[in-house]
Amino acid sequence: MVKRVAIVGYAQSHHQYDMQKTREDMVFEVAKEALDNAGISRKDIDTVVTASTDFLDGRTISNVFLSMAVGAYMKDESKVEEDGASAALYALMRILSGSHEIALVEAHTQASTFNPHQVSFYTLDPLFDRQIGLLNSVSAAALQARMYMDANDVSEEHLAMVSVKNLMNAADNPNAHRRMPDLSVEEVLDSKLYYDPIRELTMSPISDGACALVLASEERAREITDFPVWIEGVGTCHDAYLRDRNLLRLDSLRKAAEDAYKMAGITDPFSELDVIEVSERFAHEELMIYEALGLCREGKGKVFIDKWVTQRDGELPVNPSGGALAADPVCATGLIRMVEAAKQIRGEADGHQIPGAYRALAHGQFGICAQKNIVYILGGE
Amino acid sequence: MPYIKDKRPETMLLEGEWNVGAYKYKAPHLLEEFVQGLKEKKLIGSMCIGCGKVIIPPRNICGRCHQRMEGRITVSNWGTVVCFVTSPPVEKGKFQVFGIDPVESGLIQEGSVLIPTFVRFDGADANIVTELCNVDPKDVFIGMRVKAIWAEEPQGQLSDLVGVEPI
């Protein structure tokens, strides 16, 4: 990148199932906390980018009533109808354009307002898939999981082990929604079956939550903080619609990761990255993500789980915060991954800190079966 | 030039519904306080400690100061018309107010007009939208002084504030 942009402040809510707060209250708290964390005030922000979807918010043009809460009153503001990580990309571009110096990025979803899985049905092709009515985000993921398991000889135990790893990690993360310190593989396999092999504990919970971060240009970042977290690389890619692509692989993630590695000058991600935070809406997705990120060969994702490589004390920890399986406020999930990665680099991830984390990868996804993917490489000073 | 409709083959159409069911919006504290106030025929607004602005119906965040509006204040039942609009004569089954058809329930006569109005109650810095009643539409003007009309037995719901009428 010609210019450098850093994360200088962040905040996230305590994600939970049924938050007794209005959407505006929840967003206000994280926006305020992120500004406090950066040590700046509303006056210093040049631009605000929020992320949520009208469907999940239950109102169209859902940012009209949010501007007050997020701190965008009488400011340059826009909204991304996607994951918060995409909103961060938008904010990053606005800073790189030179017209803005400091941006506030915010993403939220109150899943208790409306069931996100029900919404997912309306993202399907209205001419065919919706007429038939068999698909939704969970059944599509189950089809993908079965396909992946069959092709790569992955068992249900492998998926359960991913859940156990993430949910046990989440036990030390006070912001996580599903925190299970004593979870066993048997318990996961005994949990409620939705669409075989997707179970309650191998899919992400529906959470209420919000997340905010402050981005600043290099010059301003140095004024604001002694510990900026630099955005070293970013890549995003959008795959074809569910039916027209190879569900066995996350090709768009592979492309996004390659772009991000190239920008950050990474040639061997496995040895050059210290910690990884990914948005795995379903347990099998995490195995597919290992492969798409180029950490291992195609179809060998299960080896990482078998050999404990991605445990918190493993060679390359993945999701020390618990990931999306631990808390999934739909639009905020990707942005939370960025915040968790930044926390690791700053050494502020109290209970789930990876010692000496210097370079991290954060991943966000959107769409059924991870149609769109975005990858960030973050690094310390 | 008159528009001539050509005969064209009809495009295939598929029927689709967008039935997303019911949403549940979180509304702790504020709305509750407001409707409790209505039950006692009081209009309770929220006040920002930073800039002193009073918003009614209450809102919990002041965007100017970017802080919570911690103050609560009861504003006057008297106010001023900020702007208004006169509807065409109402017809049965055409629209609903608070979820009821006002013509069918006998609240207003078929053929009469409604005057949706922005009213700024004395002491408030925001407008509330309500109906202007008991007045000939010709006599309404911006700046007209009005007072609140309350339901005979307030139930603690938004419809307790029936509308406003000229003083």
Side-chain angles (χ1 to χ4, degrees):
Chain A
M1 275 191 257
V2 194
K3 285 164 70 179
R4 293 171 87 199
V5 173
I7 297 171
V8 294
Y10 47 70
Q12 55 176 316
S13 60
H14 288 270
H15 318 304
Q16 52 196 276
Y17 171 63
D18 200 4
M19 200 182 278
Q20 295 304 316
K21 280 177 193 158
T22 62
R23 178 184 71 136
E24 284 68 30
D25 243 344
M26 178 177 82
V27 169
F28 170 74
E29 278 172 17
V30 292
K32 192 95 175 159
E33 204 185 318
L35 293 175
D36 287 347
N37 183 275
I40 59 175
S41 72
R42 199 180 82 85
K43 288 198 297 292
D44 303 310
I45 318 170
D46 298 320
T47 181
V48 179
V49 186
T50 62
S52 68
T53 83
D54 289 358
F55 243 131
L56 292 169
D57 274 339
R59 48 206 115 184
T60 47
I61 320 178
S62 63
N63 48 344
V64 286
F65 201 58
L66 203 68
S67 60
M68 295 276 190
V70 75
Y73 172 71
M74 295 300 274
K75 280 189 189 291
D76 178 285
E77 188 262 1
S78 52
K79 182 184 129 186
V80 167
E81 189 90 1
E82 261 184 24
D83 192 280
S86 301
L89 176 61
Y90 189 12
L92 170 70
M93 292 192 284
R94 304 198 111 185
I95 294 174
L96 288 177
S97 76
S99 39
H100 303 288
E101 294 288 329
I102 299 179
L104 176 69
V105 185
E106 184 277 335
H108 65 272
T109 289
Q110 274 196 333
S112 62
T113 305
F114 193 76
N115 185 349
H117 297 305
Q118 210 172 335
V119 173
S120 73
F121 180 71
Y122 295 96
T123 63
L124 292 166
D125 172 16
L127 300 185
F128 193 77
D129 294 335
R130 242 157 73 188
Q131 302 288 333
I132 294 169
L134 290 175
L135 283 184
N136 56 45
S137 60
V138 186
S139 67
L143 292 170
Q144 186 184 35
R146 269 284 161 233
M147 197 173 165
Y148 178 79
M149 288 161 75
D150 186 62
N152 298 315
D153 194 22
V154 173
S155 67
E156 277 198 55
E157 280 76 18
H158 285 115
L159 305 193
M161 280 160 79
V162 173
S163 294
V164 169
K165 169 182 83 75
N166 288 354
L167 298 180
M168 283 172 77
N169 282 349
D172 293 325
N173 175 7
N175 296 102
H177 167 185
R178 222 161 37 180
R179 301 159 67 191
M180 301 179 150
D182 308 313
L183 190 66
S184 68
V185 170
E186 289 72 34
E187 270 177 87
V188 177
L189 294 176
D190 282 343
S191 65
K192 190 182 167 190
L193 186 68
Y194 286 100
Y195 287 90
D196 181 60
I198 305 293
R199 293 172 186 276
E200 192 184 346
L201 290 177
T202 55
M203 67 187 267
S204 63
I206 53 173
S207 319
D208 292 0
C211 180
L213 63 83
V214 184
L215 295 179
S217 62
E218 181 165 16
E219 200 176 286
R220 295 306 309 276
R222 294 209 187 278
E223 287 169 23
I224 292 169
T225 176
D226 294 333
F227 306 103
V229 175
W230 301 104
I231 297 179
E232 297 184 346
V234 58
T236 178
C237 187
H238 207 141
D239 208 334
Y241 177 66
L242 183 63
R243 280 188 280 113
D244 320 340
R245 66 177 152 119
N246 184 0
L247 279 180
L248 207 49
R249 299 199 316 230
L250 298 174
D251 284 333
S252 61
L253 176 58
R254 183 176 295 272
K255 175 78 170 51
E258 279 168 7
D259 288 352
Y261 293 154
K262 196 175 159 199
M263 198 187 275
I266 290 178
T267 48
D268 179 8
F270 186 80
S271 59
E272 288 179 56
L273 293 169
D274 300 320
V275 57
I276 291 179
E277 280 283 343
V278 300
S279 304
E280 72 317 352
R281 294 244 142 82
F282 301 91
H284 70 275
E285 277 181 2
E286 182 161 329
L287 304 180
M288 299 175 76
I289 289 169
Y290 295 160
E291 298 162 22
L293 290 179
L295 305 176
C296 62
R297 275 189 292 137
E298 200 101 318
K300 296 293 176 202
K302 64 172 182 178
V303 178
F304 274 24
I305 281 296
D306 270 339
K307 304 275 185 207
W308 294 57
V309 177
T310 52
Q311 298 286 338
R312 203 194 298 168
D313 51 0
E315 226 172 309
L316 179 57
V318 175
N319 282 337
S321 69
L325 282 173
D328 188 11
V330 188
C331 291
T333 307
L335 198 63
I336 294 168
R337 304 281 75 78
M338 288 181 76
V339 167
E340 289 292 348
K343 263 166 118 175
Q344 294 287 352
I345 292 168
R346 275 201 186 184
E348 291 175 359
D350 293 331
H352 53 290
Q353 179 67 42
I354 305 299
Y358 170 78
R359 213 173 209 187
L361 182 149
H363 157 247
Q365 60 148 296
F366 211 69
I368 291 181
C369 290
Q371 186 176 4
K372 182 174 181 174
N373 288 281
I374 181 162
V375 171
Y376 283 90
I377 307 293
L378 306 177
E381 276 289 17
Chain B
M1 205 175 77
Y3 172 68
I4 301 160
K5 210 171 182 180
D6 291 332
K7 273 202 166 175
R8 295 187 202 133
E10 203 169 284
T11 311
M12 181 181 165
L13 291 179
L14 288 180
E15 299 274 324
E17 258 185 21
W18 197 269
N19 176 20
V20 291
Y23 280 86
K24 288 185 292 246
Y25 301 100
K26 292 276 157 56
H29 319 308
L30 267 180
L31 191 65
E32 249 174 287
E33 283 174 31
F34 184 62
V35 294
Q36 283 306 317
L38 292 180
K39 201 171 180 178
E40 295 162 27
K41 300 191 180 180
K42 276 181 186 167
L43 293 163
I44 300 177
S46 57
M47 187 174 75
C48 175
I49 308 294
C51 60
K53 283 217 186 306
V54 176
I55 306 291
I56 177 166
R59 198 178 54 218
N60 51 359
I61 290 149
C62 175
R64 297 166 183 83
C65 309
H66 207 221
Q67 65 182 36
R68 277 221 169 73
M69 300 185 83
E70 305 280 7
R72 295 287 176 272
I73 198 160
T74 305
V75 301
S76 168
N77 278 357
W78 292 26
T80 309
V81 172
V82 175
C83 55
F84 67 94
V85 59
T86 311
S87 77
V90 294
E91 291 170 46
K92 198 171 172 178
K94 283 280 178 183
F95 76 109
Q96 293 191 330
V97 178
F98 293 119
I100 33 175
D101 189 327
V103 182
E104 204 174 304
S105 60
L107 276 174
I108 48 175
Q109 283 182 343
E110 191 155 9
S112 60
V113 297
L114 287 175
I115 312 172
T117 312
F118 263 22
V119 177
R120 183 162 295 200
F121 285 105
D122 298 349
D125 295 300
N127 308 324
I128 192 165
V129 62
T130 184
E131 198 198 326
L132 185 52
C133 312
N134 308 335
V135 64
D136 188 329
K138 287 198 242 14
D139 299 338
V140 188
F141 57 93
I142 288 174
M144 189 182 201
R145 295 291 290 162
V146 290
K147 67 174 186 214
I149 312 172
W150 296 100
E152 278 176 18
E153 279 178 30
Q155 303 292 317
Q157 58 197 25
L158 291 175
S159 54
D160 288 347
L161 178 66
V162 176
V164 291
E165 61 183 357
I167 295 166

